[in-house]
């Protein structure tokens, strides 16, 4: 923890600022072990096809089952992993377990696409396409089943390198999705050249679109833009049936959000799925 004086002269403590604070070092070491010891867990949130009202796939979202802190949300350790090189083994862990689960569903006759988040430094990894190819082969999952969600800012970190990685992933038949769309600073001209298949409108625009007219306009425009570029458009952060109805009216292709369910551990997800429309 570091002590800093803010503008009014008060001392405030921040655990975020100091890269070398004992807290961070401990957590980093623990995360390394957690990956090795399978103390991470994936939760799954369904994606619903608006036209068919069927569950078309799931997004895998990682949590850390920490001995002391309990179930930790990804925002508490992904940024740390990003800055320390742990993101590579973490991404590998997530991909491996997500594809393993996808294979299990496949055996049960469930055709579910699986979406996995790949953050900035994960995307800069030139080995990623080979790694993914190896995992798909060993789990016997078709590349078309896998969606990799990337952010605009990750692409803009190093455009050439991102393009190289994304081109080989797309060439293998893997679907690429731009996550948190609308929150980055990327150029649309550049994005239209990327081999992506879908965009996910950031939940900050969707969540309050029924009462925030400028957000509603952004959502409307983004859906039209996506469709004009030949992309599938996903709305995330759908928390009510009113928002669901609005997105349906605007022609949004796929929806995801607490209105259907929050992300669930595998057993709870199976239970939810058996009670749902599929
Ligand atoms: P994201 O990829 O944008 O994931 C969506 C987040 O929104 C998830 O939070 C999900 O639980 C939440 N969410 C879904 N529906 C709703 C809704 O209707 N309302 C609200 N308010 N929230 C909703 P979560 O699971 O805490 O994940 C946070 C972020 O952590 C993710 O944002 C993603 O950027 C990152 N993350 C999660 N898993 C992984 C992973 O395996 N690898 C990497 N690199 N990042 C991950
Ligand atoms: Ca995502
Ligand atoms: Ca998102
Ligand atoms: Ca995000």
């Amino acid at each position: 923890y570091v002590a800093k004086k803010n503008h009014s002269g008060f001392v405030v403590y921040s655990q975020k600022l100091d890269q070398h604070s004992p807290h961070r070092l401990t957590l980093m070491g623990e995360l390394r072990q957690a990956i090795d010891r399978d103390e991470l867990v994936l939760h799954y949130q369904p994606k619903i096809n608006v036209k068919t009202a069927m569950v078309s796939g799931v997004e895998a979202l990682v949590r850390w089952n920490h001995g002391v802190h309990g179930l930790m949300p990804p925002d508490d350790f992904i940024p740390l992993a990003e800055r320390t090189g742990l993101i590579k083994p973490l991404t590998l862990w997530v991909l491996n377990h997500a594809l393993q689960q996808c294979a299990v569903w496949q055996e049960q006759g469930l055709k579910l696409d699986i979406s996995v988040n790949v953050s900035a430094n994960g995307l800069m990894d030139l080995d990623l396409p080979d790694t993914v190819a190896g995992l798909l082969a060993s789990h016997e999952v078709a590349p078309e089943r896998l969606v990799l969600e990337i952010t605009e800012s990750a692409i803009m970190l190093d455009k050439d390198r991102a393009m190289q990685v994304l081109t080989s992933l797309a060439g293998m038949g893997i679907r690429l999705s731009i996550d948190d769309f609308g929150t980055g600073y990327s150029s649309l001209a550049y994005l239209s050249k990327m081999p992506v298949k879908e965009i996910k409108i950031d939940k900050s625009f969707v969540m309050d679109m029924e009462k925030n007219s400028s957000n509603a306009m952004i959502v409307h425009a983004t859906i039209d833009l996506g469709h004009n570029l030949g992309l599938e458009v996903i709305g995330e952060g759908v928390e009510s049936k009113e928002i669901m109805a609005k997105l349906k009216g605007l022609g949004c292709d796929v929806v995801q959000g607490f209105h259907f369910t929050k992300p669930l551990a595998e057993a709870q997800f199976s239970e939810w799925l058996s009670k749902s429309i599929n």
Side-chain angles (χ1 to χ4, degrees), residues 183-201:
T183 61
Y185 300 93
S186 52
S187 99
L188 284 173
Y190 190 76
L191 271 186
S192 69
K193 294 199 189 82
M194 298 307 259
V196 300
K197 287 271 164 64
E198 64 172 47
I199 51 179
K200 288 185 90 167
I201 310 174

Side-chain angles (χ1 to χ4, degrees), residues 24-168:
R24 287 180 52 95
L25 284 176
T26 311
L27 209 59
M28 226 162 49
E30 286 178 353
L31 181 56
R32 199 180 300 269
Q33 284 189 339
I35 298 168
D36 292 340
R37 296 179 184 168
D38 280 348
E39 285 164 9
L40 302 178
V41 60
L42 292 180
H43 282 195
Y44 303 94
Q45 189 179 37
K47 297 185 172 189
I48 290 99
N49 181 304
V50 175
K51 282 209 184 83
T52 63
M54 302 271 276
V55 179
S56 58
V58 300
E59 177 174 6
L61 295 150
V62 73
R63 280 93 181 83
W64 177 1
N65 211 340
H66 190 281
V68 177
H69 305 302
L71 203 63
M72 279 169 66
D75 287 335
D76 286 2
F77 60 92
I78 295 281
L80 176 73
E82 272 275 292
R83 286 192 295 265
T84 57
L86 279 177
I87 196 66
K88 200 170 157 173
L90 188 139
T91 303
L92 188 66
W93 189 97
V94 172
L95 276 165
N96 187 28
H97 287 78
L99 290 174
Q100 186 182 317
Q101 184 57 55
C102 191
V104 169
W105 286 325
Q106 230 166 234
E107 266 167 42
Q108 298 170 348
L110 291 169
K111 281 203 168 133
L112 295 172
D113 293 342
I114 185 107
S115 297
V116 170
N117 292 282
V118 177
S119 43
N121 286 316
L123 189 63
M124 292 300 120
D125 175 10
L126 292 172
D127 299 332
L128 186 67
D130 278 350
T131 305
V132 174
L135 289 170
L136 286 167
S138 67
H139 292 294
E140 299 182 65
V141 171
E144 292 73 22
R145 283 263 100 93
L146 179 64
V147 182
L148 295 180
E149 298 190 358
I150 57 191
T151 60
E152 296 166 79
S153 48
I155 296 169
M156 295 304 138
L157 201 65
D158 183 340
K159 287 189 206 159
D160 294 339
R161 198 149 155 164
M163 186 63 121
Q164 192 181 332
V165 173
L166 295 178
T167 304
S168 40

